[in-house]
Amino acid sequence: MLKKIKLAGFASVAALAVITTTSPAAAECVIGSAPLFDPFASYKDPGAIIHKDSGFIFPATIAGFRRQCEMTTDFSGNNFEIRYLRDFEDHEIEIKIAIIHLEQLNSADHYEIIKPDMLSQYSSASVISEGDYFVSGRPDIAAYQGIFDGDKDSIPWHFSVTALDYGYWDARLMASYPQEVDAAAQEAIMELITAFQWQTPISAETADETP
């Protein structure tokens, strides 16, 4: 049972999580959005973008994955998502990385919010495993992961969600791919996590305190 201190923000955060994953009216892919909304700044090479509020860097290509668009957002300033794809033997491994600010919720709470919506996107969906997740090399990051089986267009599918608690910012990594490429997909996902693990999103308050 969630502690009472967490319940006040739970409903609104749950609604926000659903908006991120299911509502195209509230979330859309925008190409070249910086002049209009200024959510990014250039970083190093021209293909990389940065989420202005958290400082998190999203390269155009990383660990064999290619970024699909510059942003998916509800424009609230607290919810941001990037989508990556990687090809493997005529199949695509899809990864969605979301950066979101959650009040008084840990990684397990974050996972429980998004889990029902993840399951609803597949037929015959079932939980394979769920529990605490250790991010190699980053003992400071609390994480929780669920791995699932289901069918997508009558094709056996694997999908997962990993919630990470950085403090002010939270992140989640949602993976989706055909079951027949499971071994290769899991290796690719680990490569992507390893490539991103050195980053730590910062809050506006932290940035203000930096000398």
Side-chain angles (χ1 to χ4, degrees):
M1 181 179 293
L2 295 175
K3 295 180 180 178
K4 290 183 179 180
I5 192 172
K6 298 175 181 175
L7 294 180
F10 198 95
S12 60
V13 173
L16 184 59
V18 171
I19 286 172
T20 306
T21 56
T22 64
S23 176
E28 58 183 313
C29 180
V30 179
I31 302 297
S33 58
L36 295 176
F37 305 105
D38 192 31
F40 308 111
S42 299
Y43 185 84
K44 295 183 179 178
D45 69 79
I49 57 175
I50 189 169
H51 180 219
K52 184 178 67 174
D53 293 332
S54 70
F56 209 96
I57 302 160
F58 293 92
T61 59
I62 183 170
F65 286 83
R66 62 190 186 280
R67 197 183 64 233
Q68 292 304 290
C69 65
E70 291 203 353
M71 83 174 170
T72 305
T73 180
D74 64 358
F75 303 111
S76 69
N78 287 330
N79 197 359
F80 171 85
E81 183 177 290
I82 283 285
R83 177 171 173 257
Y84 284 92
L85 288 180
R86 180 169 171 173
D87 298 318
F88 181 78
E89 296 181 354
D90 298 323
H91 297 290
E92 287 185 335
I93 303 166
E94 180 186 69
I95 302 289
K96 293 180 180 178
I97 302 174
I99 303 295
I100 182 171
H101 173 53
L102 301 177
E103 291 285 355
Q104 301 175 327
L105 299 177
N106 59 32
S107 58
D109 300 333
H110 185 177
Y111 167 81
E112 291 295 340
I113 290 169
I114 203 67
K115 175 183 172 181
D117 183 71
M118 289 287 291
L119 292 172
S120 72
Q121 297 178 44
Y122 301 85
S123 58
S124 305
S126 60
V127 177
I128 302 302
S129 66
E130 56 187 0
D132 293 328
Y133 180 78
F134 175 72
V135 181
S136 178
R138 292 298 302 269
D140 57 311
I141 301 174
Y144 200 92
Q145 184 183 76
I147 300 174
F148 316 95
D149 271 348
D151 291 337
K152 183 177 181 180
D153 299 327
S154 301
I155 298 172
W157 215 260
H158 260 339
F159 56 106
S160 66
V161 57
T162 306
L164 303 100
D165 186 352
Y166 287 94
Y168 181 89
W169 291 102
D170 290 73
R172 64 173 170 261
L173 186 150
M174 296 168 286
S176 174
Y177 51 87
Q179 196 174 100
E180 66 177 276
V181 298
D182 180 50
Q186 290 202 39
E187 182 177 345
I189 292 166
M190 286 305 302
E191 290 177 12
L192 185 69
I193 291 175
T194 300
F196 271 115
Q197 70 180 16
W198 58 272
Q199 298 200 60
T200 300
I202 59 171
S203 66
E205 291 82 355
T206 302
D208 291 341
E209 294 171 0
T210 303

